[in-house]
Amino acid sequence: LFLTAAETYFSSEIPKSKRMYPGNYSGIISMMLKAYRLTGEQRFLDKATDYADISVRAVMDSTSPLPKASNESDHYEAITGANNLMSNLLNLWIELNRN
């Protein structure tokens, strides 16, 4: 069931016209990392990296060291899942730099 969901997200793109919160990006990065660890398939790690790049462009900028509340916001809100996003970005970095 998990791999079916991962495949669905793998073949889908993040909607560009929708409000996205850091937690939304975090969830997909986490799912792709878990699918990679479960299957060993590089494509899942590559997709996690793609989503990480998208999330950083969407909710991070030079005006604050904290992620924005959403891709449509200019302020930080803890409730939107920024802590999970930062944690999953770190988990991705660790996976990419294991060697």
Side-chain angles (χ1 to χ4, degrees):
L1 186 57
F2 170 77
L3 285 177
T4 300
E7 288 291 348
T8 300
Y9 277 96
F10 180 85
S11 60
S12 300
E13 295 296 324
I14 293 176
K16 301 207 186 309
S17 62
K18 303 266 184 190
R19 178 174 294 159
M20 296 288 288
Y21 300 99
N24 299 125
Y25 296 110
S26 175
I28 190 64
I29 292 167
S30 176
M31 178 179 277
M32 291 298 113
L33 277 172
K34 289 174 183 165
Y36 168 71
R37 290 176 184 146
L38 185 63
T39 66
E41 294 181 31
Q42 182 67 35
R43 65 190 179 105
F44 289 117
L45 187 59
D46 294 342
K47 193 68 159 187
T49 302
D50 291 345
Y51 280 119
D53 292 341
I54 291 167
S55 70
V56 168
R57 284 193 306 273
V59 299
M60 303 286 290
D61 62 25
S62 62
T63 62
S64 173
L66 299 171
K68 296 183 284 184
S70 77
N71 61 337
E72 297 177 347
S73 302
D74 290 325
H75 65 282
Y76 169 81
E77 289 181 31
I79 197 166
T80 61
N83 59 329
N84 291 333
L85 174 61
M86 300 310 281
S87 177
N88 280 311
L89 291 175
L90 177 59
N91 288 334
L92 176 59
W93 183 88
I94 291 168
E95 195 65 52
L96 292 170
N97 292 280
R98 273 201 191 277
N99 298 328

